[in-house]
Amino acid sequence: MDARTKLKTKLPSRHVTEGPERAPHRSYYYAMGLTTAQIHQPFVGVASCWNEAAPCNISLMRQAQAVKKGVAAAGGTPREFCTITVTDGIAMGHEGMKSSLPSREAIADTVELTVRGHSYDALVGLAGCDKSLPGMMMAMCRLNVPSVFLYGGSILPGTFKGRPVTVQDVFEAVGKYSVGEMSDADLGELERQACPSAGACGAQFTANTMATVSEAIGLALPYSAGAPAPYEIRDAFCMTAGEQVMKLIAEGIRPRDIVTKKALENAAAVVAASGGSTNAALHLPAIAHECGIDFTLFDVAEVFKKTPYIADLKPGGRYVAKDMFEAGGIPLLMKTLLEHGFLHGDCMTVTGRTIAQNMKSVKWNPDQDVVRPANKPITKTGGVVGLKGNLAPEGAIVKVAGMSELKFSGPARCFDREEDCFAAVKAKKYKEGDVFVIRYEGPKGGPGMREMLATTAALYGQGMGGKVALITDGRFSGATRGFCIGHVGPEAAVGGPIALVKDGDIIEIDAVKGTMNLKVPAEELATRRKAWKPRPIDFGSGYIWKYAQQVGDALHGAVTHPGAAGEKSCYADI
C-alpha cells in the first residue's frame, strides 16, 4: 500500500471505493475508464461555473482541464463537474436580476450536494462572475475539505475612439443616449468594442473585488486572481492549484484553518484599499457564517473605516485589473498594506505558508502608479464606507472611491421598485438635489436584492452622478459610482424605516461621520409605522419564492441556513 492509498483510508471517498461491498460503486468508475490505481487514490472535485451565459465563464472549462492535469500529476484522481452561474451583466435592469444573489446560495448548495453525494476528498473551484466567487468560497468553508479557489480571470479592456473602455462605459452610454449626447452609430460601435475577450468585467467591480478577496483571505494562490482570462499563464496557475490541493490533503490544511476572523479582516482591508464593490460587505459575512464566525456588515465597515484607499482602479479610478496584474498583482497591494500595519501577516494560506511568508519575496514596483504606498494613499479613508442612523439601524454601505463630496442632503423621491425609478430617470422627471429611494428590493422584498446599475449608470450618463443621491434596501453593482447607498437595513419588506419614507422627506447622508438620517420627528414615524402593512411578494412558487422564505438580513450576509454554528458534524470528517 503506497502513501496515497494509505491516505485514502482516512478520507471521505473511502465510503465509495474501499471494500468488497463497494464493488458496484467501483464498476461505475471502471465504466468511465479509471484504472484500479486511480480508484484508490484521493478524489478531488474540480468544480467549474462554466456556461455560455457570458464571457465571464466561457474559459472556465478549458482552465479546469489544466487543474485536472495538476491533480493527476500529484497523485490524485480529478472528478470534474459544473454548477450554475447567473451573470449580472446579462441579468441587470430587469426581473432576471432577482436570480443573481439567490444564485450564490444555489452555487454553494449544489457544490456541497455534489461533493457530499460522491464523497470527494478535496475541492478546486473555478468561478468567473460576481456571485459565483463567494458561492464557491462558501461551499469550500461549508464542506471544510482541503480546497483551492481559482478565479477565471478578467476580460481585457476594449478600445473606443482611441480610449480604453469597459462595460461600465456602455451602461453609462445608455444615459448619454437618452439625453441626445450619443448617436445611434456611436452606441452601436461602443457595444461592439467594449468587451473584446473572455473574462469577467475588467474593473474593480464585484468579480475582481472578490477575486482580490480570494488571495487576501488565503484561499487562492498568490498572483492567480490577477491574471486576465486570455493570458496563457492562467494554465500554469491552474496546474499548480491542482498539485497544491494534493499537498493540502497530505498536510491536513482545511478552509477553516485559513478563513479566520483575522483573514476576514484582511479580506475587508483589500476591498477598501482597492475601492472595491460594496457587495463584499454582503459576501464576507456570508463566508464567515459558513465557518461559524460572527462577522457582520458592521465588522466589515470597521475595517473599511481604518484602511486607506490606494489602488487607482475603475470605476472610481483610472485602471483595470489587467493593469494591476502587470504592475505587480494583488501581492503588490497586499505587500504595502502589510508593511504599514493594515494586514495580519500570521494568517495561514493555501500555500501552506502565512501571508507574511508569502509576501517576503514580493518587491515594490516604483515604476507604476496603479497602486500607491499605503502611507501615501489616494485617500486616508477606505474606498467603501459603512453608514448607520435612524434610516438604517442595521447599517448601509456606500462606495466613496473617486468621490469628491462625501455629504449630501435632499428631499426623498420614493419608488417601490427599480423599474419605476429607471423610467423617471430616463424621462428626466427629477431635480438636482433629489434623493431617490428604491425600496422593497431587499433580500426578502425583492425577493433577491437586485442591483441598480441600470439606474445609476443612466444618471451618470446624464451628467447627474454627483448631483443626486440614491438609497436602496437592494444592492449596487461594483460598477456603480456616485452617491449610491445600498444594503439599507432593516429592509422595507420587514417594516424597516426605509418603508416609512415619504416624498419630500429630507434625508441627510454623511459619509465622513458614517451616518444616514431621516429628518422626520419620531412621533410622525411612529404614526406612519402603525399605518404600514406588509406587502405580498410577486412569487408564489419556485426557487425565488423558496429563497424569500429562508433568506436572512443583509447585516449578516443574506444567508439561508444556520451555517457552521448549527452544524451537527463536518462533512470533511465523515
Side-chain angles (χ1 to χ4, degrees), residues 459-488:
L459 284 166
Y460 224 93
Q462 291 176 354
M464 298 296 286
K467 298 174 183 178
V468 295
L470 196 157
I471 71 171
T472 181
D473 51 7
R475 298 180 294 120
F476 288 113
S477 165
T480 291
R481 52 179 175 162
F483 226 130
C484 300
I485 297 154
H487 305 196
V488 173

Side-chain angles (χ1 to χ4, degrees), residues 68-357:
K68 290 163 67 177
K69 289 178 183 177
V71 171
T77 301
R79 309 313 298 149
E80 183 182 359
F81 64 95
C82 288
T83 184
I84 70 156
T85 317
V86 172
T87 297
D88 287 11
I90 300 291
M92 197 73 68
H94 56 91
E95 286 283 309
M97 181 48 74
K98 292 187 176 184
S99 299
S100 171
L101 186 60
S103 77
R104 185 190 72 180
E105 313 310 304
I107 290 163
D109 293 351
T110 51
V111 172
E112 177 199 358
L113 291 172
T114 301
V115 171
R116 279 186 179 276
H118 304 101
S119 297
Y120 294 156
D121 305 315
L123 181 63
V124 178
L126 297 96
C129 194
D130 298 3
K131 307 308 170 293
S132 62
L133 283 80
M136 193 66 73
M137 288 185 264
M138 287 163 66
M140 290 172 173
C141 293
R142 185 184 302 178
L143 293 160
N144 203 31
V145 291
S147 301
V148 177
F149 176 83
L150 273 167
Y151 179 41
S154 66
I155 200 169
L156 297 176
T159 302
F160 175 68
K161 294 189 173 181
R163 64 181 180 88
V165 290
T166 70
V167 73
Q168 174 192 347
D169 295 279
V170 188
F171 273 101
E172 292 179 3
V174 174
K176 292 180 180 178
Y177 181 82
S178 72
V179 293
E181 292 185 9
M182 178 170 274
S183 67
D184 282 314
D186 279 354
L187 183 60
E189 182 65 15
L190 175 60
E191 70 182 58
R192 290 177 178 84
Q193 301 302 325
C195 300
S197 75
C201 298
Q204 201 67 351
F205 309 154
T206 304
N208 280 324
T209 296
M210 296 309 296
T212 306
V213 160
S214 71
E215 287 195 30
I217 210 168
L219 290 173
L221 294 169
Y223 297 100
S224 66
Y231 284 19
E232 289 298 319
I233 196 174
R234 290 227 54 83
D235 285 0
F237 286 125
C238 293
M239 178 88 176
T240 303
E243 294 171 336
Q244 188 60 29
V245 79
M246 293 302 298
K247 292 181 181 178
L248 295 178
I249 294 173
E251 295 170 10
I253 297 174
R254 299 177 177 182
R256 294 183 197 172
D257 300 321
I258 293 168
V259 181
T260 62
K261 182 77 173 282
K262 285 184 175 181
L264 289 157
E265 290 174 348
N266 285 349
V270 298
V271 174
S274 65
S277 169
T278 55
N279 283 310
L282 199 68
H283 300 322
L284 292 178
I287 292 169
H289 182 72
E290 301 290 355
C291 299
I293 300 169
D294 186 19
F295 193 73
T296 71
L297 182 149
F298 290 134
D299 296 301
V300 176
E302 278 301 306
V303 178
F304 287 171
K305 189 187 301 181
K306 63 187 179 184
T307 308
Y309 167 43
I310 60 173
D312 194 8
L313 298 170
K314 289 178 178 288
R318 296 176 292 165
Y319 296 107
V320 294
K322 174 188 81 74
D323 301 317
M324 188 159 84
F325 178 69
E326 291 170 354
I330 295 164
L332 185 75
L333 177 76
M334 292 174 62
K335 176 78 169 184
T336 187
L337 290 173
L338 179 65
E339 286 181 339
H340 293 93
F342 297 105
L343 287 187
H344 303 291
D346 57 347
C347 294
M348 179 57 65
T349 74
V350 291
T351 65
R353 301 185 297 273
T354 65
I355 291 284
Q357 289 170 330

Side-chain angles (χ1 to χ4, degrees), residues 390-409:
N390 72 349
L391 190 51
E394 291 183 359
I397 209 84
V398 60
K399 180 188 283 192
V400 297
M403 286 171 51
S404 56
E405 294 296 326
L406 300 181
K407 298 180 181 181
F408 199 99
S409 178

Side-chain angles (χ1 to χ4, degrees), residues 387 391 398 400 403-413 430-437 459 463-471 482-485 505-519:
L387 304 173
L391 190 51
V398 60
V400 297
M403 286 171 51
S404 56
E405 294 296 326
L406 300 181
K407 298 180 181 181
F408 199 99
S409 178
R413 288 283 313 281
Y430 64 93
K431 297 177 183 177
E432 184 175 326
D434 282 350
V435 179
F436 294 100
V437 177
L459 284 166
M464 298 296 286
K467 298 174 183 178
V468 295
L470 196 157
I471 71 171
F483 226 130
C484 300
I485 297 154
D505 289 348
I506 300 300
I507 296 173
E508 291 185 349
I509 307 158
D510 189 330
V512 178
K513 293 182 179 178
T515 59
M516 182 170 68
N517 289 297
L518 182 65
K519 307 305 287 185

